[in-house]
Amino acid sequence: MLGGGGARGLAHIPVLEALDELGVRPAVISGSSIGAVIGAAYAAGMSGKEIRRYVVALLHDRPEILRRLVAARAASLAELFSARFGNPMLIDAEQLVALFMPERVPRTFGDLAIRLKVMTTDLYARAERVFEEGPLRPALAASMAVPGLVRPVVIDGRVLIDGSAVNPLPFDIVRDDGYLTLAVDTSVGPVAPRGVPDPWDALFSAIQVMGYTIVAAKLRTGPPDIVIRPKVGAFRLLDFLHVSAILRAADPVKAEVKARLAPFIAA
Protein backbone atom coordinates (compact mmCIF):
# COMPACT_ATOMS: atom_id res chain seq x y z
CA MET A 1 0.00 0.00 0.00
CA LEU A 2 1.76 3.09 -1.29
CA GLY A 3 1.12 6.44 0.34
CA GLY A 4 1.28 10.03 -0.81
CA GLY A 5 4.09 12.46 -0.09
CA GLY A 6 5.08 14.17 -3.33
CA ALA A 7 8.72 13.62 -4.24
CA ARG A 8 9.21 11.62 -1.05
CA GLY A 9 7.00 8.99 -2.64
CA LEU A 10 9.89 8.08 -4.93
CA ALA A 11 11.02 6.10 -1.88
CA HIS A 12 8.39 3.51 -2.80
CA ILE A 13 10.71 2.30 -5.56
CA PRO A 14 13.32 0.57 -3.32
CA VAL A 15 10.45 -1.19 -1.52
CA LEU A 16 9.21 -2.58 -4.84
CA GLU A 17 12.76 -3.64 -5.71
CA ALA A 18 12.93 -5.55 -2.42
CA LEU A 19 9.70 -7.38 -3.30
CA ASP A 20 11.16 -8.31 -6.68
CA GLU A 21 14.33 -9.62 -5.05
CA LEU A 22 12.25 -11.73 -2.67
CA GLY A 23 10.16 -13.06 -5.53
CA VAL A 24 7.02 -11.71 -3.85
CA ARG A 25 4.14 -10.54 -6.03
CA PRO A 26 1.38 -8.44 -4.43
CA ALA A 27 -2.18 -9.66 -4.90
CA VAL A 28 -3.46 -6.09 -4.84
CA ILE A 29 -1.92 -2.62 -4.65
CA SER A 30 -3.60 0.47 -3.28
CA GLY A 31 -2.16 3.92 -3.72
CA SER A 32 -2.79 7.57 -3.08
CA SER A 33 -1.29 10.44 -5.09
CA ILE A 34 2.35 9.61 -6.00
CA GLY A 35 1.78 6.17 -4.50
CA ALA A 36 -1.04 5.54 -6.98
CA VAL A 37 1.18 6.56 -9.90
CA ILE A 38 4.12 4.35 -8.90
CA GLY A 39 1.70 1.57 -7.98
CA ALA A 40 0.16 1.78 -11.46
CA ALA A 41 3.56 1.37 -13.12
CA TYR A 42 4.30 -1.67 -10.96
CA ALA A 43 0.82 -3.12 -11.50
CA ALA A 44 1.36 -2.71 -15.25
CA GLY A 45 4.24 -5.19 -15.06
CA MET A 46 7.26 -2.92 -14.70
CA SER A 47 9.83 -4.14 -12.18
CA GLY A 48 11.12 -1.90 -9.41
CA LYS A 49 14.43 -1.50 -11.25
CA GLU A 50 12.65 -0.56 -14.47
CA ILE A 51 10.67 2.10 -12.62
CA ARG A 52 13.90 3.40 -11.06
CA ARG A 53 15.60 3.66 -14.45
CA TYR A 54 12.58 5.44 -15.93
CA VAL A 55 12.26 8.11 -13.22
CA VAL A 56 16.01 8.74 -12.93
CA ALA A 57 16.42 9.19 -16.69
CA LEU A 58 13.38 11.45 -16.90
CA LEU A 59 13.97 13.59 -13.81
CA HIS A 60 17.64 14.17 -14.61
CA ASP A 61 16.64 15.77 -17.91
CA ARG A 62 15.65 19.23 -16.71
CA PRO A 63 14.96 20.75 -20.15
CA GLU A 64 12.62 17.87 -20.95
CA ILE A 65 10.86 18.20 -17.58
CA LEU A 66 10.31 21.91 -18.23
CA ARG A 67 9.01 21.20 -21.73
CA ARG A 68 6.48 18.68 -20.45
CA LEU A 69 5.35 20.92 -17.59
CA VAL A 70 4.75 23.80 -20.00
CA ALA A 71 2.79 21.44 -22.25
CA ALA A 72 0.71 20.34 -19.24
CA ARG A 73 -0.40 23.85 -18.24
CA ALA A 74 -4.12 24.07 -17.57
CA ALA A 75 -4.45 27.17 -19.81
CA SER A 76 -2.44 29.30 -22.18
CA LEU A 77 -0.25 31.99 -20.72
CA ALA A 78 -2.53 34.66 -22.21
CA GLU A 79 -5.56 33.12 -20.48
CA LEU A 80 -3.72 32.77 -17.18
CA PHE A 81 -2.49 36.35 -17.09
CA SER A 82 -5.86 37.75 -18.13
CA ALA A 83 -7.63 35.88 -15.33
CA ARG A 84 -8.02 37.47 -11.95
CA PHE A 85 -5.72 35.67 -9.51
CA GLY A 86 -4.52 33.48 -12.39
CA ASN A 87 -1.99 30.83 -11.39
CA PRO A 88 0.70 30.36 -14.07
CA MET A 89 1.78 27.13 -12.32
CA LEU A 90 -1.63 25.46 -12.56
CA ILE A 91 -1.27 22.06 -14.23
CA ASP A 92 -3.84 19.97 -16.06
CA ALA A 93 -3.82 16.64 -14.20
CA GLU A 94 -4.77 14.46 -17.15
CA GLN A 95 -2.14 16.08 -19.36
CA LEU A 96 0.40 15.57 -16.59
CA VAL A 97 -0.36 11.85 -16.49
CA ALA A 98 -0.30 11.57 -20.29
CA LEU A 99 3.07 13.33 -20.53
CA PHE A 100 4.87 11.69 -17.61
CA MET A 101 3.54 8.13 -17.23
CA PRO A 102 5.54 5.28 -18.81
CA GLU A 103 4.06 4.02 -22.07
CA ARG A 104 3.66 0.56 -20.57
CA VAL A 105 0.92 1.78 -18.23
CA PRO A 106 -2.35 0.77 -19.94
CA ARG A 107 -5.49 2.81 -20.43
CA THR A 108 -7.79 0.68 -18.26
CA PHE A 109 -7.64 -1.04 -14.88
CA GLY A 110 -8.62 -4.30 -16.54
CA ASP A 111 -5.37 -4.40 -18.53
CA LEU A 112 -3.15 -4.27 -15.45
CA ALA A 113 -1.20 -7.36 -14.40
CA ILE A 114 -1.91 -6.71 -10.70
CA ARG A 115 -5.17 -5.47 -9.20
CA LEU A 116 -4.97 -1.77 -8.31
CA LYS A 117 -7.08 0.52 -6.14
CA VAL A 118 -6.61 4.28 -6.60
CA MET A 119 -7.62 6.68 -3.84
CA THR A 120 -9.14 10.07 -4.71
CA THR A 121 -11.07 12.73 -2.81
CA ASP A 122 -14.61 13.71 -3.82
CA LEU A 123 -14.40 17.42 -3.04
CA TYR A 124 -18.06 18.28 -2.60
CA ALA A 125 -19.09 14.98 -1.02
CA ARG A 126 -16.21 15.50 1.46
CA ALA A 127 -15.37 11.81 1.18
CA GLU A 128 -12.95 9.37 -0.38
CA ARG A 129 -13.68 7.72 -3.70
CA VAL A 130 -11.80 4.62 -4.75
CA PHE A 131 -11.33 3.57 -8.38
CA GLU A 132 -10.48 -0.01 -9.38
CA GLU A 133 -12.17 -0.44 -12.75
CA GLY A 134 -12.75 1.50 -15.95
CA PRO A 135 -10.36 4.13 -17.38
CA LEU A 136 -7.11 4.20 -15.41
CA ARG A 137 -5.44 7.47 -16.30
CA PRO A 138 -8.25 9.84 -15.25
CA ALA A 139 -8.28 8.11 -11.85
CA LEU A 140 -4.51 8.56 -11.52
CA ALA A 141 -4.86 12.21 -12.55
CA ALA A 142 -7.49 12.80 -9.87
CA SER A 143 -5.42 11.05 -7.21
CA MET A 144 -2.49 13.42 -7.78
CA ALA A 145 -4.48 16.66 -8.22
CA VAL A 146 -2.71 18.62 -5.46
CA PRO A 147 -4.83 21.67 -4.52
CA GLY A 148 -3.36 24.93 -5.78
CA LEU A 149 -0.92 23.22 -8.11
CA VAL A 150 -2.92 20.72 -10.19
CA ARG A 151 -6.43 21.36 -11.50
CA PRO A 152 -9.19 19.07 -10.11
CA VAL A 153 -10.48 16.27 -12.32
CA VAL A 154 -14.15 15.67 -13.12
CA ILE A 155 -15.23 12.02 -13.43
CA ASP A 156 -18.90 11.04 -13.71
CA GLY A 157 -19.88 14.57 -12.71
CA ARG A 158 -17.88 14.46 -9.48
CA VAL A 159 -15.06 16.95 -8.78
CA LEU A 160 -12.05 14.99 -7.54
CA ILE A 161 -8.75 16.06 -5.98
CA ASP A 162 -5.65 14.51 -4.42
CA GLY A 163 -6.42 11.26 -2.60
CA SER A 164 -4.09 12.30 0.22
CA ALA A 165 -6.65 14.88 1.35
CA VAL A 166 -8.69 12.06 2.91
CA ASN A 167 -6.49 8.95 2.91
CA PRO A 168 -2.75 9.43 2.41
CA LEU A 169 -1.96 5.77 3.23
CA PRO A 170 -4.87 3.66 1.96
CA PHE A 171 -4.05 0.30 3.54
CA ASP A 172 -7.55 0.05 5.00
CA ILE A 173 -9.19 -0.34 1.58
CA VAL A 174 -7.49 -3.70 1.05
CA ARG A 175 -7.32 -4.97 4.63
CA ASP A 176 -10.78 -6.57 4.41
CA ASP A 177 -9.63 -8.65 1.42
CA GLY A 178 -7.81 -10.89 3.89
CA TYR A 179 -4.27 -10.25 2.65
CA LEU A 180 -1.12 -9.46 4.58
CA THR A 181 -0.88 -5.68 4.35
CA LEU A 182 2.45 -3.86 3.92
CA ALA A 183 2.11 -0.07 3.97
CA VAL A 184 4.84 2.34 2.88
CA ASP A 185 4.39 5.64 4.70
CA THR A 186 6.08 8.71 3.20
CA SER A 187 3.66 11.20 4.75
CA VAL A 188 6.10 12.69 7.26
CA GLY A 189 5.61 16.41 7.78
CA PRO A 190 8.35 19.06 7.88
CA VAL A 191 11.15 17.74 10.10
CA ALA A 192 13.80 20.47 10.08
CA PRO A 193 13.18 24.16 10.83
CA ARG A 194 14.03 26.37 7.84
CA GLY A 195 12.75 29.69 9.11
CA VAL A 196 9.56 31.30 7.85
CA PRO A 197 8.56 29.49 4.61
CA ASP A 198 7.49 31.24 1.44
CA PRO A 199 3.77 30.99 0.56
CA TRP A 200 4.11 27.90 -1.64
CA ASP A 201 6.34 26.10 0.83
CA ALA A 202 3.93 26.96 3.62
CA LEU A 203 0.98 25.55 1.63
CA PHE A 204 2.75 22.30 0.80
CA SER A 205 4.08 21.94 4.34
CA ALA A 206 0.54 22.36 5.65
CA ILE A 207 -0.64 19.61 3.29
CA GLN A 208 2.10 17.35 4.64
CA VAL A 209 1.13 18.10 8.25
CA MET A 210 -2.50 17.22 7.50
CA GLY A 211 -1.44 14.00 5.80
CA TYR A 212 0.80 13.05 8.70
CA THR A 213 -2.05 13.68 11.15
CA ILE A 214 -4.52 11.56 9.16
CA VAL A 215 -2.07 8.65 8.90
CA ALA A 216 -1.24 8.80 12.62
CA ALA A 217 -4.94 8.56 13.49
CA LYS A 218 -5.50 5.65 11.10
CA LEU A 219 -2.55 3.74 12.51
CA ARG A 220 -3.88 4.12 16.05
CA THR A 221 -7.29 2.72 15.18
CA GLY A 222 -6.24 -0.28 13.07
CA PRO A 223 -2.70 -0.56 11.72
CA PRO A 224 -1.59 -2.76 8.80
CA ASP A 225 0.56 -5.83 9.40
CA ILE A 226 3.77 -4.05 8.43
CA VAL A 227 4.54 -0.32 8.20
CA ILE A 228 7.69 0.80 6.38
CA ARG A 229 8.93 4.39 6.73
CA PRO A 230 11.83 5.31 4.43
CA LYS A 231 14.03 8.05 5.88
CA VAL A 232 13.23 10.80 3.39
CA GLY A 233 11.93 13.49 5.72
CA ALA A 234 14.67 15.92 4.69
CA PHE A 235 13.09 16.33 1.24
CA ARG A 236 10.23 18.63 0.26
CA LEU A 237 7.02 17.87 -1.58
CA LEU A 238 8.32 19.09 -4.96
CA ASP A 239 11.95 17.93 -4.72
CA PHE A 240 11.57 15.63 -7.73
CA LEU A 241 14.80 16.89 -9.29
CA HIS A 242 16.60 15.40 -6.27
CA VAL A 243 15.52 11.94 -7.40
CA SER A 244 18.94 10.32 -6.98
CA ALA A 245 19.39 11.72 -3.47
CA ILE A 246 15.90 10.56 -2.48
CA LEU A 247 16.56 7.05 -3.78
CA ARG A 248 19.92 6.89 -2.02
CA ALA A 249 18.29 7.93 1.24
CA ALA A 250 15.55 5.31 0.77
CA ASP A 251 17.72 2.40 -0.40
CA PRO A 252 18.55 1.12 3.12
CA VAL A 253 14.85 0.35 3.58
CA LYS A 254 15.22 -2.66 1.27
CA ALA A 255 16.93 -4.64 4.03
CA GLU A 256 14.12 -3.74 6.43
CA VAL A 257 11.44 -4.87 3.98
CA LYS A 258 13.16 -8.23 3.51
CA ALA A 259 13.62 -8.74 7.25
CA ARG A 260 10.04 -7.81 8.08
CA LEU A 261 8.59 -10.07 5.38
CA ALA A 262 10.85 -13.05 6.08
CA PRO A 263 8.67 -14.58 8.86
CA PHE A 264 5.58 -14.44 6.67
CA ILE A 265 7.37 -15.97 3.68
CA ALA A 266 8.79 -18.78 5.82
CA ALA A 267 5.33 -19.53 7.18
Side-chain angles (χ1 to χ4, degrees):
M1 314 315 133
L2 308 180
R8 293 169 176 171
L10 295 170
H12 295 314
I13 296 172
V15 175
L16 300 178
E17 291 175 329
L19 297 183
D20 291 338
E21 291 167 14
L22 287 170
V24 173
R25 176 185 169 95
V28 58
I29 299 170
S30 64
S32 191
S33 199
I34 183 69
V37 173
I38 292 177
Y42 195 67
M46 295 180 70
S47 69
K49 287 193 180 300
E50 286 174 325
I51 297 172
R52 179 189 289 254
R53 286 195 292 269
Y54 178 84
V55 300
V56 168
L58 176 60
L59 295 175
H60 278 178
D61 189 344
R62 296 193 180 201
E64 179 61 15
I65 290 292
L66 179 59
R67 185 192 71 79
R68 296 190 191 194
L69 287 175
V70 169
R73 286 200 316 269
S76 69
L77 286 177
E79 290 172 322
L80 288 167
F81 287 125
S82 66
R84 193 179 182 195
F85 307 121
N87 176 9
M89 292 180 64
L90 191 66
I91 299 297
D92 182 291
E94 296 186 66
Q95 282 279 56
L96 191 66
V97 169
L99 290 165
F100 282 91
M101 286 297 292
E103 291 183 3
R104 286 179 60 182
V105 177
R107 298 286 177 177
T108 67
F109 281 88
D111 290 325
L112 293 169
I114 299 174
R115 185 179 168 205
L116 176 69
K117 295 187 177 185
V118 173
M119 176 62 61
T120 72
T121 300
D122 187 321
L123 184 62
Y124 294 115
R126 303 179 298 281
E128 63 183 45
R129 181 173 179 186
V130 180
F131 289 87
E132 54 182 314
E133 60 183 17
L136 173 60
R137 296 194 175 197
L140 295 176
S143 189
M144 60 187 293
V146 179
L149 181 64
V150 182
R151 186 168 63 184
V153 175
V154 178
I155 300 178
D156 298 332
R158 311 301 298 184
V159 178
L160 306 173
I161 62 170
D162 193 338
S164 292
V166 287
N167 198 339
L169 189 63
F171 60 86
D172 51 317
I173 64 175
V174 300
R175 187 169 48 197
D176 292 342
D177 293 343
Y179 301 117
L180 167 76
T181 52
L182 184 155
V184 187
D185 181 15
T186 57
S187 65
V188 291
V191 295
R194 297 189 180 99
V196 178
D198 62 41
W200 280 109
D201 203 16
L203 172 62
F204 297 142
S205 294
I207 291 171
Q208 292 170 45
V209 171
M210 289 186 287
Y212 176 83
T213 303
I214 293 169
V215 170
K218 283 164 51 66
L219 293 176
R220 285 195 299 270
T221 58
D225 298 293
I226 299 172
V227 180
I228 300 295
R229 291 189 176 92
K231 297 186 183 302
V232 290
F235 300 96
R236 301 184 186 187
L237 194 76
L238 297 181
D239 277 347
F240 287 98
L241 295 179
H242 296 287
V243 53
S244 292
I246 293 171
L247 291 171
R248 282 195 301 271
D251 274 339
V253 84
K254 293 171 69 172
E256 181 186 355
V257 171
K258 294 177 181 179
R260 299 281 298 278
L261 281 176
F264 298 97
I265 296 173

